[in-house]
């Protein structure tokens, strides 16, 4: 008689839960390969979005519906469903590798006392250094040249086969975000898995907890939400200084 372990049951449940949203994404990708639909949808998203949020730029020559794209979408949905990071809970203290000396450290090593720490699984540069720190975590390539390739990508980078490959690719990102602390996810993709960061995502950590959790990118990568959170935080920080004590 066959014996089914807990892992098989868990995988079956994950598949059942994710299948509807995956099929919806697949249908959407198929529709977006019709250029008339793609242009109309992207135009509407651009009109409704905030100017500070990065636009979705996909050239007409790039097909969305393919085996490689569906693999990537399934991978992203699965990581998001199984992630350990949740708003209001403790932040996973996963291992990362520094670019300069290739020293291994952990996410919370970059947090300073009560200051917010912006955890950026993307390429956005945050300009609020007076009230928050930030690190960019470079993870597995969303559009590798030997996978779901995109001609819109600034660099054609193949899938990382070793840590050296990932470090070399991260150096290119570092050139795009000068002055920003860039670290690299481990080859076990522990940070990407724990934070459901594939394709990209934004978090804010404070005192070891997650105080802001953005949606999955690219459509959920909202710099405007991050800006609003920091703006409200700045107002809360400035309130005590506005108090006048009468004696």
């Amino acid at each position: 008689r066959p014996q089914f372990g807990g892992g098989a049951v868990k995988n079956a449940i994950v598949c059942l839960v994710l299948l509807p949203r995956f099929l919806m994404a697949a249908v959407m990708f198929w529709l977006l390969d019709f250029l008339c639909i793609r242009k109309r949808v992207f135009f509407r998203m651009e009109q409704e979005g905030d100017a500070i949020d990065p636009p979705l730029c996909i050239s007409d020559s790039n097909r969305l519906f393919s085996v490689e794209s569906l693999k990537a979408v399934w991978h992203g949905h699965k990581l998001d469903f199984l992630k350990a990071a949740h708003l209001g809970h403790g932040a996973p203290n996963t291992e990362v590798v520094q670019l300069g000396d290739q020293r291994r450290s952990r996410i919370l090593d970059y947090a300073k006392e009560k200051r917010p720490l912006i955890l950026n699984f993307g390429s956005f540069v945050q300009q609020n250094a007076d009230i928050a720190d930030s690190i960019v975590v470079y993870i597995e390539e969303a559009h590798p040249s030997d996978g779901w390739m995109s001609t819109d990508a600034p660099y054609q980078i193949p899938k990382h086969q070793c840590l050296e490959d990932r470090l070399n690719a991260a150096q290119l990102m570092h050139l795009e975000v000068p002055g920003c602390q860039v670290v690299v996810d481990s080859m076990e993709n522990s940070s990407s898995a724990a934070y459901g960061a594939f394709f990209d995502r934004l978090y804010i950590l404070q005192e070891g907890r997650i105080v802001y959790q953005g949606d999955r990118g690219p459509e959920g990568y909202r710099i405007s939400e991050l800006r609003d959170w920091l703006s409200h935080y700045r107002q809360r920080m400035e309130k005590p200084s506005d108090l006048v004590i009468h004696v």
Side-chain angles (χ1 to χ4, degrees), residues 202-224:
L202 288 166
Y203 284 88
I204 300 179
L205 316 181
Q206 189 175 29
E207 297 185 76
R209 303 181 73 81
I210 298 172
V211 294
Y212 167 79
Q213 180 180 51
D215 289 332
R216 288 179 57 240
E219 65 277 2
Y221 189 78
R222 300 288 185 183
I223 300 172
S224 55

Side-chain angles (χ1 to χ4, degrees), residues 21-236:
R21 68 181 74 172
F22 170 75
L23 292 176
M24 287 182 62
V27 171
M28 179 60 69
F29 274 23
W30 178 74
L31 290 173
L32 288 175
D33 274 343
F34 294 92
L35 294 183
C36 58
I37 298 177
R38 179 185 300 188
K39 291 179 179 180
R40 180 173 298 181
V41 170
F42 285 177
F43 177 77
R44 177 173 294 182
M45 293 176 64
E46 183 178 350
Q47 294 298 311
E48 295 176 352
D50 194 297
I52 196 175
D53 292 324
L56 286 176
C57 298
I58 303 176
S59 300
D60 294 348
S61 59
N62 283 312
R63 289 188 58 212
L64 291 177
F65 187 80
S66 67
V67 173
E68 292 297 334
S69 70
L70 296 181
K71 285 181 180 178
V73 169
W74 178 262
H75 180 55
H77 280 314
K78 188 174 181 180
L79 288 184
D80 180 51
F81 184 76
L82 297 175
K83 68 182 181 298
H86 296 284
L87 184 64
H89 291 75
N93 197 18
T94 49
E95 185 179 79
V96 291
V97 182
Q98 296 184 10
L99 275 187
D101 55 9
Q102 299 184 17
R103 183 171 60 88
R104 294 181 180 271
S105 56
R106 293 191 173 273
I107 291 291
L108 293 180
D109 292 343
Y110 300 91
K112 299 176 182 177
E113 297 180 351
K114 295 184 178 182
R115 281 171 61 88
L117 174 67
I118 300 168
L119 196 57
N120 181 10
F121 295 94
S123 57
F124 162 63
V125 180
Q126 176 58 32
Q127 302 294 336
N128 291 273
D130 59 324
I131 60 170
D133 301 303
S134 64
I135 58 171
V136 174
V137 184
Y138 179 67
I139 60 174
E140 55 187 315
E141 274 293 318
H143 297 284
S145 58
D146 52 351
W148 185 15
M149 186 184 70
S150 170
T151 58
D152 297 317
Y155 307 102
Q156 295 302 317
I157 301 172
K159 296 176 182 176
H160 311 139
Q161 302 299 322
C162 60
L163 182 60
E164 184 178 1
D165 289 347
R166 185 163 290 181
L167 288 167
N168 289 336
Q171 291 288 358
L172 298 175
M173 172 179 280
H174 195 219
L175 295 176
E176 296 184 3
V177 286
C180 190
Q181 176 77 55
V182 178
V183 296
V184 169
D185 196 6
S186 66
M187 288 305 296
E188 293 76 27
N189 299 317
S190 56
S191 296
S192 178
Y195 286 91
F198 191 84
F199 302 97
D200 44 25
R201 201 163 201 160
L202 288 166
Y203 284 88
I204 300 179
L205 316 181
Q206 189 175 29
E207 297 185 76
R209 303 181 73 81
I210 298 172
V211 294
Y212 167 79
Q213 180 180 51
D215 289 332
R216 288 179 57 240
E219 65 277 2
Y221 189 78
R222 300 288 185 183
I223 300 172
S224 55
E225 291 184 359
L226 187 73
R227 175 201 59 195
D228 293 344
W229 191 97
L230 290 169
S231 177
H232 293 151
Y233 177 75
R234 186 189 300 275
Q235 291 175 9
R236 294 198 304 269

